[in-house]
């Protein structure tokens, strides 16, 4: 007998059908109730709840490289479901069984009170008698992405991706499906639109998220894979509808395969999936609320203290007591609250391939590093140090105390990248080493801030103690997160910045734990503007660390531009502050003083982009934050001949708006608010130039 499981929660509607043959179909996940005529009986078999591929099992359909039509995925039968509540909100669990292999699968949907988002994951439990090899298991599957509305999907669907790369992070682009080579020409094809990450940089090429808009229906579906290693998602076509499949690593895409023994279980990589009325901006707003909800509670994201770090366009990993003292004085003078000594503090000269012991250099610090750290505290700032704790340089003296079990192994050899070995955090000796380093920095040196960098990509994984290299990587990823949790449990006030050569590990497995994320190592302040403005799409504004590094030689506009880059986010101050002219240094202090008056709004505001998501090629870029009746709008002019830009604010049409140039106070900035049209006009006579505008209703 057919059965419908209907969930209406926080404006989300989920409909699952159990057929008379016990097939389980996810018919709908959206902001409106299911239209009874939207899914035909002929289409229903394509609306899978779960895809699961075992080694030696068949495949149905023309699947190409897609992960549809899997076995025993097509054979799984309904067993039961559980509709309960957890502390976060409503929880649905659907249990399926495969009568042949003995596998039990539990599909989890965790809803969140007052959010149009659910976290999804799949748990496999092997209740059979013989081992099975798992090649693919979905985290979330949804067919019918395009079923709302009458237009063809070629004309109404838009996909937004955040491309990522070293010093070129957060390159947002929106595409129609035909622009991606996915034209609607048949009811199903072997083509897919897919994004994968393979390796230990989770955001090496893309942020693990996307937004798919149906412009006719006025809705946006979005997903965020919450994992710090390999992951995969794809959009395919079947039964004349679009299907989204989200997962962690797979065999075909990421070198992942596991063998489940009887009695063993496996839990897939989780993903958050939501739907909103509206478009990209509304989707990111909902994600921002969700990201704040799942994040580890911490004081850092409430206080938003200002960090000075001596690296970027400053000491470049070559600190000494002599160089640091004037920087410490200058940082304290302008109002910084943390002072982090970056790379190089542990070696007298070239240090790249020798890292791993993390003992201070006597040559750099004749009086001892604690002398400098204590000096930072005497100036009213919290001291910090840089670490790259997940690696060991190929010339590190500590290698003598290790063996191969400490490291990633492939083909019987240690995995090496950029003259470093990857430590394996499944090994208790590795975590004991890491624990002692953290203990020494916090308890012996008095460090309150750690910049945790990670400058290699360990590739497909490790063959050691694993069924596949991808399995070894996934186990290590999870072990590292467990270790990180233990550090925060021991030192809850410690701030650890998540840095991976800039923003190469920008994911919410890490960011649900870390309070702050490095976004880029971009050295050109003008190019940094688009990265800064785009960052709230991938993480909350208060977690987005942005370099501001006034140059030794420059003018007022260069300082202002640098400061505006960071003013709506999390300030990572740098540059040779002690060598700036009094006027330019005063501009830095003015910005930091102003930041301290608005950071209480930043931590609760939602982002918006009056000119759309930024691109490096744009002559004008704008990012806004809105909280209640207050708005803060950063505007950058990076080039071009036009001296004026119009910022559309249609939601404020017909309303009075008090606007002013908040930074620099009294700066040249022609401002004109057209209430009838809902347009704010801004004039900046030269380029590059930037301003921070404050607007109040």
């Amino acid at each position: 007998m057919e059965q419908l499981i209907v969930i209406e929660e926080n404006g989300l509607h989920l409909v699952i059908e159990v057929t008379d043959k016990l097939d389980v179909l996810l018919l709908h996940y959206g902001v409106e109730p299911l239209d009874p005529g939207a899914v035909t009986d002929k289409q229903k078999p394509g609306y899978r709840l779960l895809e699961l591929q075992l080694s030696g099992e068949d495949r149905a359909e023309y699947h190409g490289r897609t992960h549809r039509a899997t076995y025993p995925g097509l054979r799984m039968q309904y067993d039961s479901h559980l509709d309960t509540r957890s502390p976060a909100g409503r929880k649905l669990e659907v249990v399926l069984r495969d009568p042949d292999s003995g596998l039990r699968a539990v599909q989890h949907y965790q809803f969140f009170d007052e959010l149009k988002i659910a976290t999804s994951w799949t748990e496999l439990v092997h209740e059979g008698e013989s081992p099975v090899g798992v090649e693919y298991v979905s985290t979330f599957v949804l067919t019918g992405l395009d079923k709302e509305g009458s237009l063809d999907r070629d004309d109404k669907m838009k996909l937004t991706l955040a491309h990522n790369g070293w010093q070129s992070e957060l390159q947002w682009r929106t595409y129609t499906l035909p622009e991606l080579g996915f034209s609607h020409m048949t009811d199903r094809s072997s083509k897919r639109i897919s994004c994968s990450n393979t390796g230990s940089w989770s955001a090496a090429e893309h942020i693990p998220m996307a937004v798919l808009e149906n412009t006719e229906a006025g809705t946006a579906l979005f997903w965020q894979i919450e994992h710090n290693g390999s992951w995969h998602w794809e959009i395919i076509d079947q039964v004349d509808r679009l299907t989204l499949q989200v997962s962690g690593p797979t065999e075909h895409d990421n070198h992942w395969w596991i063998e489940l023994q009887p009695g063993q279980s496996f839990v897939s990589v989780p993903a958050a999936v939501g739907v909103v009325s509206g478009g990209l901006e509304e989707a990111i707003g909902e994600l921002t609320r969700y990201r704040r909800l799942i994040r580890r509670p911490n004081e850092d994201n409430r206080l938003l203290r200002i960090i000075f770090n001596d690296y970027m366009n400053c000491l470049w990993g070559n600190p000494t007591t002599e160089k640091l003292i004037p920087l410490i004085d200058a940082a304290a003078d302008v109002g910084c609250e943390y002072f982090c000594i970056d790379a190089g503090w542990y070696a007298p000269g070239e240090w790249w391939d020798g890292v791993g012991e993390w003992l201070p250099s006597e040559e750099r610090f004749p009086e001892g590093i604690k002398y400098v750290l204590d000096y930072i505290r005497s100036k009213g700032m919290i001291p910090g140090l840089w670490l790259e704790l997940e690696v060991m340089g190929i010339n590190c003296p500590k290698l003598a105390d290790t063996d191969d079990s400490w490291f990633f192994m492939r083909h019987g050899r240690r995995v090496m990248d950029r003259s470093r070995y990857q430590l394996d955090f499944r090994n208790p000796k590795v975590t004991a080493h890491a624990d002692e380093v953290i203990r020494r920095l916090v308890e012996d040196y008095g460090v309150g801030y750690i910049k945790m960098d990670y400058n290699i990509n360990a590739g497909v994984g490790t063959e050691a103690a694993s069924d596949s290299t991808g399995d070894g990587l996934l186990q290590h990823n999870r072990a590292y997160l467990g270790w990180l949790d233990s550090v925060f449990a021991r030192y809850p006030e410690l701030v650890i910045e998540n840095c991976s050569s800039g923003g190469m590990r920008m994911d919410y497995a890490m960011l649900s734990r870390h309070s702050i994320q490095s976004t880029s190592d971009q050295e050109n302040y003008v190019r940094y503007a688009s990265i800064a403005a785009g960052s709230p799409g991938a993480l909350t504004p208060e977690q987005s660390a942005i370099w501001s590094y006034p140059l030794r030689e420059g003018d007022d506009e260069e300082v202002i531009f640098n400061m505006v880059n960071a003013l709506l986010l999390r300030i990572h101050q740098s540059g040779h502050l002690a060598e700036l002219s009094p006027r330019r240094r005063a501009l830095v202090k003015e910005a930091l003083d102003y930041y301290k008056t608005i950071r209480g709004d930043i931590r609760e505001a939602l982002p918006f982009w009056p000119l759309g998501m930024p691109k490096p090629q744009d002559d004008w870029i704008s990012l806004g934050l809105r909280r209640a009746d207050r708005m803060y709008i950063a505007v950058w002019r990076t080039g071009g001949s036009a001296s004026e830009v119009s910022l559309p604010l249609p939601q404020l049409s017909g309303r009075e708006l008090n606007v002013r140039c908040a930074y620099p106070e009294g700066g040249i900035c022609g401002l004109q608010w057209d209430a009838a049209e809902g347009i704010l006009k801004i004039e900046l006579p030269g380029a590059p130039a930037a301003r921070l505008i404050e607007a109040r209703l």
Side-chain angles (χ1 to χ4, degrees):
M1 184 175 178
E2 293 183 1
Q3 176 185 359
L4 282 183
I5 303 170
V6 180
I7 301 289
E8 181 180 349
E9 191 70 12
N10 310 317
L12 275 179
H13 298 262
L14 180 147
V15 179
I16 295 172
E17 179 178 313
V18 181
T19 72
D20 55 3
K21 295 182 179 180
L22 300 182
D23 199 10
V24 185
L25 310 172
L26 176 56
L27 299 183
H28 184 63
Y29 184 74
V31 291
E32 298 292 338
L34 173 64
D35 178 352
V39 185
T40 67
D41 289 341
K42 183 179 180 181
Q43 291 173 324
K44 280 185 178 180
Y47 279 65
R48 312 309 304 169
L49 179 84
L50 169 74
E51 293 285 5
L52 173 63
Q53 184 66 50
L54 297 186
S55 298
E57 291 272 13
D58 198 8
R59 296 292 299 269
E61 263 289 353
Y62 297 104
H63 61 84
R65 293 196 65 207
T66 72
H67 293 285
R68 65 161 166 242
T70 58
Y71 276 102
L74 288 169
R75 200 170 58 228
M76 302 292 284
Q77 294 183 342
Y78 173 80
D79 177 86
S80 61
H81 73 276
L82 188 64
D83 186 356
T84 60
R85 288 194 65 84
S86 75
R90 194 171 182 178
K91 176 81 184 301
L92 176 66
E93 300 174 18
V94 183
V95 182
L96 303 91
R97 293 181 186 273
D98 174 28
D100 292 1
S101 68
L103 271 182
R104 174 165 60 93
V106 184
Q107 184 69 56
H108 297 261
Y109 301 100
Q110 174 65 67
F111 296 88
F112 295 86
D113 292 339
E114 300 182 6
L115 290 175
K116 294 181 174 63
I117 292 178
T119 302
S120 177
W121 69 94
T122 304
E123 180 184 8
L124 299 178
V125 181
H126 190 12
E127 299 175 339
E129 298 179 355
S130 301
V132 296
V134 183
E135 299 180 1
Y136 176 85
V137 58
S138 60
T139 283
F140 179 84
V141 180
L142 178 64
T143 299
L145 311 180
D146 55 330
K147 70 182 186 298
E148 280 77 34
S150 59
L151 293 176
D152 189 86
R153 66 185 186 229
D154 285 359
D155 301 319
K156 67 184 179 184
M157 307 304 292
K158 295 195 304 182
L159 179 68
T160 298
L161 306 176
H163 298 272
N164 219 47
W166 187 64
Q167 292 202 11
S168 55
E169 290 85 354
L170 299 163
Q171 305 277 313
W172 295 91
R173 294 293 186 278
T174 299
Y175 309 90
T176 66
L177 302 188
E179 286 174 337
L180 294 169
F182 199 58
S183 298
H184 189 185
M185 300 180 71
T186 182
D187 62 340
R188 81 273 191 265
S189 69
S190 61
K191 174 70 174 174
R192 66 181 183 174
I193 298 172
S194 66
C195 271
S196 265
N197 178 76
T198 300
S200 53
W201 272 357
S202 59
E205 295 182 277
H206 296 91
I207 301 295
M209 63 169 288
V211 179
L212 182 69
E213 296 176 67
N214 183 331
T215 58
E216 181 185 9
T219 60
L221 171 75
F222 53 92
W223 56 97
Q224 169 179 283
I225 302 176
E226 295 167 357
H227 181 52
N228 54 326
S230 299
W231 50 265
H232 178 79
W233 64 259
E234 61 187 42
I235 294 173
I236 62 175
D237 53 0
Q238 58 180 346
V239 297
D240 211 30
R241 291 298 187 198
L242 294 174
T243 295
L244 169 68
Q245 295 185 183
V246 177
S247 72
T250 80
E251 181 178 50
H252 291 169
D253 301 288
N254 317 103
H255 302 258
W256 175 88
W257 178 88
I258 59 169
E259 185 173 69
L260 277 183
Q261 302 293 330
Q264 288 185 332
S265 62
F266 173 78
V267 178
S268 75
V269 165
V273 185
V275 192
V276 293
S277 297
L280 176 63
E281 204 167 276
E282 288 75 16
I284 289 175
E286 197 73 357
L287 268 172
T288 302
R289 296 183 186 95
Y290 166 78
R291 289 162 175 166
R292 286 170 173 156
L293 181 67
I294 65 167
R295 190 174 60 204
R296 175 183 61 90
N298 66 89
E299 187 181 63
D300 188 44
N301 288 140
R302 182 177 63 85
L303 298 178
L304 304 192
R305 291 185 174 119
I306 297 164
I307 304 114
F308 185 94
N309 181 295
D310 65 31
Y311 181 77
M312 184 62 71
N313 285 327
C314 194
L315 298 188
W316 290 119
N318 189 27
T320 65
T321 302
E322 183 181 8
K323 294 176 182 177
L324 285 167
I325 294 300
L327 276 176
I328 294 167
D329 291 341
D333 181 61
V334 297
C336 295
E337 294 156 301
Y338 288 103
F339 189 105
C340 183
I341 302 172
D342 208 275
W345 58 269
Y346 35 76
E350 176 56 42
W351 47 262
W352 185 266
D353 60 6
V355 295
E357 266 193 318
W358 310 113
L359 296 172
S361 165
E362 295 179 1
E363 289 88 344
R364 293 184 182 274
F365 307 105
E367 306 86 349
I369 197 167
K370 197 168 186 305
Y371 169 82
V372 181
L373 297 172
D374 287 346
Y375 187 76
I376 292 169
R377 280 207 180 270
S378 75
K379 290 292 183 175
M381 296 182 292
I382 300 170
L385 287 174
W386 180 96
L387 282 180
E388 192 173 355
L389 199 49
E390 296 165 69
V391 304
M392 195 169 285
I394 60 173
N395 288 315
C396 176
K398 191 169 178 60
L399 287 174
D401 301 328
T402 70
D403 55 44
D404 285 347
S405 70
W406 284 55
F407 304 103
F408 272 31
M409 303 289 293
R410 287 202 296 269
H411 311 297
R413 306 291 296 272
R414 294 182 186 180
V415 173
M416 186 192 307
D417 188 48
R418 300 196 71 203
S419 301
R420 280 98 178 271
Y421 297 125
Q422 171 69 49
L423 290 168
D424 189 335
F425 271 68
R426 296 174 297 170
N427 186 333
K429 293 180 181 179
V430 169
T431 54
H433 157 70
D435 283 341
E436 173 55 23
V437 173
I438 298 295
R439 188 210 62 77
R440 185 166 63 245
L441 266 61
V442 175
E443 297 182 19
D444 295 351
Y445 301 165
V447 163
Y449 186 101
I450 292 173
K451 177 178 177 178
M452 193 72 82
D453 212 339
Y454 180 60
N455 285 297
I456 74 167
N457 191 333
V460 296
T462 176
E463 65 197 14
S466 58
D467 294 332
S468 63
T469 54
D471 174 39
L473 177 60
L474 178 57
Q475 289 184 44
H476 160 81
N477 294 144
R478 288 173 164 171
Y480 181 77
L481 294 176
W483 173 80
L484 194 59
D485 288 339
S486 73
V487 172
F488 283 124
R490 287 195 301 275
Y491 306 110
E493 302 306 314
L494 178 65
V495 176
I496 305 179
E497 174 193 342
N498 183 34
C499 178
S500 294
S501 203
M504 297 294 96
R505 201 158 50 172
M506 221 179 300
D507 66 74
Y508 264 84
M510 301 292 281
L511 284 170
S512 63
R513 294 160 167 90
H514 289 280
S515 62
I516 186 168
Q517 166 73 52
S518 169
T519 54
S520 185
D521 277 348
Q522 173 54 247
E523 300 167 27
N524 183 306
Y525 70 93
V526 178
R527 292 176 183 164
Y528 210 142
S530 66
I531 297 171
S535 67
L539 66 163
T540 66
E542 63 271 20
Q543 289 178 286
S544 176
I546 304 295
W547 289 109
S548 173
Y549 37 67
L551 307 179
R552 277 182 167 124
E553 302 295 332
D555 57 16
D556 289 2
E557 289 296 342
E558 175 264 321
V559 176
I560 295 165
F561 198 109
N562 257 297
M563 300 310 297
V564 171
N565 281 350
L567 271 178
L568 293 185
L569 303 155
R570 191 68 188 276
I571 298 176
H572 252 179
Q573 192 64 52
S574 195
H576 288 279
L577 294 185
E579 300 178 37
L580 299 184
S581 68
R583 165 65 185 165
R584 297 174 73 229
R585 191 158 149 184
L587 283 169
V588 174
K589 188 176 189 309
E590 179 191 342
L592 300 187
D593 287 345
Y594 176 71
Y595 181 80
K596 292 173 183 177
T597 70
I598 68 170
R599 56 188 173 186
D601 285 338
I602 291 172
R603 69 187 186 214
E604 297 185 21
L606 296 180
F608 64 98
W609 292 268
L611 299 176
M613 296 303 280
K615 300 188 295 295
Q617 297 79 17
D618 293 339
D619 291 335
W620 290 87
I621 293 168
S622 183
L623 163 68
L625 295 182
R626 180 186 295 111
R627 183 192 177 203
D629 63 345
R630 300 182 292 282
M631 289 184 295
Y632 307 95
I633 305 172
V635 182
W636 296 265
R637 181 185 174 190
T638 64
S641 58
S643 61
E644 185 179 83
V645 67
S646 294
L647 304 184
L649 302 173
Q651 68 276 22
L652 299 178
S653 294
R655 306 182 70 179
E656 290 301 316
L657 194 64
N658 296 316
V659 295
R660 71 181 184 97
C661 181
Y663 176 76
E665 189 175 8
I668 299 172
C669 178
L671 283 176
Q672 182 181 348
W673 169 239
D674 186 332
E677 297 294 327
I679 290 176
L680 178 62
K681 294 182 179 180
I682 299 173
E683 183 177 1
L684 292 176
R691 296 291 185 269
L692 196 287
I693 309 302
E694 186 175 315
R696 292 178 180 262
L697 289 170

